[in-house]
DNA sequence: GGGAATTACTTTCAAATTGCAAGTTATAGA
DNA sequence: TCTATAACTTGCAATTTGAAAGTAATTCCC
C-alpha cells in the first residue's frame, strides 16, 4: 500500500483510518511504542516481528506526516532520534485495546490473562486511561519500558 | 500480505488481528457488510473503493477461513451466494466504531454528523448495540440496507 | 585527534503481491 | 435452447515488499 501518496478526498471514515493504518506495520509500530516502550529506530528493528529497515523508515515517515508521531533528536545523544506518540496517536488507544480485546476472545492461542480480560471487558475506559497514563509517565522518565506489555 | 498462509503461532494479541485484518480490503469488506448492506459478490464489486475481482475473491475466502463470515447459496436464486457476518465478525463492531470515532475527531474532512459523534463519544455501547441490531434485522429481511451507513 | 563503532537511514534487486482485463463455469430466465 | 448474469479464475504488467549491502552523521575510545 502506498503510504505517502498524494492526498485523496476521504469518502468515509474508514478510508481515512485505512489510508494511514491500513497495513500491518504501521499498527505494529504504534503497538511497540505503547506497550513495548519503543522510541528509537533500533528498538523497532529489534522487535520480534522483524521489520525490514526500509519499510520501517517509510512507515515512520508516513506516521510522522500524518501527525501520529513526532521525531526529535535525543538531547543526550545526538546520533539517536526519539519517536513519540502525539495526542492524535494516543487517541488510537481505544481502537487498539478493542482489537486486543477481540483477539483475547477469539484467538485460540491467546496469551492474555484473566485479569487483563476482566479489565478490557468490564472496565474498558479505565484500561484506556491506564495505558495512556503509563505511556506518558514512561516517556518522561526517558526509560519508557512500561508495565503495559501485559495488554498488548 | 499473504492471507492464506500456513498457521503461525501468534506471539501477541495484535499479530492475531493483523494476520486476519492487516490489510485495507478485509476491513472494507466488513464495513461494506455492516454499514452498506453488502451481502453479495456483486455488491462488494460495486462499492466505491473498487476492489479487483481476484482480490475480493481472495479476501472473502480468507475471512471465511478465519470464521468472520459465512457463505451460503441464496435459496431464492441458486446462482447467487450470500455472505454474512458470524458472531466473531460481529464482535468487531466495537473496534470498527472506535476507528470511526477516531476518524471523526481527526479527519479534517470528516463527514460524520454531530449526532453520530455524540453517540460515539457519550453512548458508545448503545451505538454498538444499534449497529449490531440493525445488521441482524436487515439480514432477516433479506434486504440488508441498513440505516447504519450514517456511522461508517 | 584519529580510527572504530554505532545509529539511522538509503539503495539495490529479486520475489511476492496487486490490479486490470479477459476468460470460465454454473445457474436462471425467455 | 439461447442469452444473460453472478461468481469466480487466469494471465500478465506494474507496484510493493523484504533481505542485504552501502552511506552519513555522530560518538566512543585510546
Amino acid at each position: 500500500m502506498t503510504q505517502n501518496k498524494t492526498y485523496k478526498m476521504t469518502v468515509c471514515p474508514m478510508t481515512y483510518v485505512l489510508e494511514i493504518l491500513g497495513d500491518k506495520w504501521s499498527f505494529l509500530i504504534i503497538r511497540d511504542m505503547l506497550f513495548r516502550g519503543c522510541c528509537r529506530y533500533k528498538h523497532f528493528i529489534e522487535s520480534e516481528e522483524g521489520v525490514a529497515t526500509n519499510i520501517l523508515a517509510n512507515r515512520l515517515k508516513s506516521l510522522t506526516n500524518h501527525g501520529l508521531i513526532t521525531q526529535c533528536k535525543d538531547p543526550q545523544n545526538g546520533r539517536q532520534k526519539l519517536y513519540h506518540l502525539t495526542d492524535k496517536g494516543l487517541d488510537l488507544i481505544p481502537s487498539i485495546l478493542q482489537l486486543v480485546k477481540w483477539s483475547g476472545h477469539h484467538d485460540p492461542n491467546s496469551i492474555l490473562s484473566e485479569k487483563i480480560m476482566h479489565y478490557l471487558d468490564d472496565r474498558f475506559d479505565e484500561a484506556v486511561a491506564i495505558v495512556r497514563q503509563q505511556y506518558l509517565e514512561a516517556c518522561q522518565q526517558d526509560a519508557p519500558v512500561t508495565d503495559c506489555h501485559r495488554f498488548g
Side-chain angles (χ1 to χ4, degrees), chain A:
Chain A
M1 208 158 317
T2 310
Q3 294 294 317
N4 299 320
K5 64 182 156 192
T6 53
Y7 183 73
K8 193 192 144 202
M9 171 71 179
T10 48
V11 285
C12 96
M14 288 297 284
T15 54
Y16 180 73
V17 211
L18 294 178
E19 217 178 284
I20 302 176
L21 294 167
D23 84 302
K24 183 177 139 178
W25 295 119
S26 301
F27 255 118
L28 286 178
I29 288 170
I30 309 273
R31 178 211 62 181
D32 282 346
M33 297 179 81
L34 270 183
F35 302 132
R36 306 254 208 281
C38 294
C39 62
R40 296 189 162 85
Y41 198 87
K42 190 176 59 160
H43 295 159
F44 296 110
I45 291 291
E46 287 164 354
S47 192
E48 57 199 329
E49 280 87 4
V51 218
T53 61
N54 52 347
I55 304 293
L56 178 59
N58 175 290
R59 295 303 192 277
L60 286 172
K61 198 179 295 177
S62 163
L63 290 172
T64 306
N65 290 342
H66 283 109
L68 276 70
I69 65 177
T70 52
Q71 311 188 4
C72 65
K73 256 195 182 177
D74 184 346
Q76 316 294 295
N77 186 335
R79 75 186 155 185
Q80 296 198 342
K81 258 190 193 175
L82 292 174
Y83 298 92
H84 290 299
L85 288 165
T86 62
D87 274 335
K88 187 173 176 181
L90 284 169
D91 277 356
L92 280 170
I93 293 174
S95 301
I96 288 180
L97 286 187
Q98 287 287 0
L99 291 169
V100 168
K101 178 174 152 183
W102 183 84
S103 293
H105 284 294
H106 295 287
D107 178 0
N109 298 100
S110 170
I111 55 171
L112 291 171
S113 70
E114 276 189 30
K115 191 179 164 198
I116 295 291
M117 288 309 292
H118 163 69
Y119 258 98
L120 294 174
D121 284 336
D122 304 330
R123 300 158 77 184
F124 187 79
D125 292 345
E126 215 175 311
V128 171
I130 290 172
V131 171
R132 186 177 187 116
Q133 184 61 25
Q134 288 214 4
Y135 175 78
L136 292 174
E137 280 172 10
C139 282
Q140 283 184 338
Q141 290 169 20
D142 198 12
V145 179
T146 75
D147 195 35
C148 290
H149 63 277
R150 293 179 293 112
F151 279 101

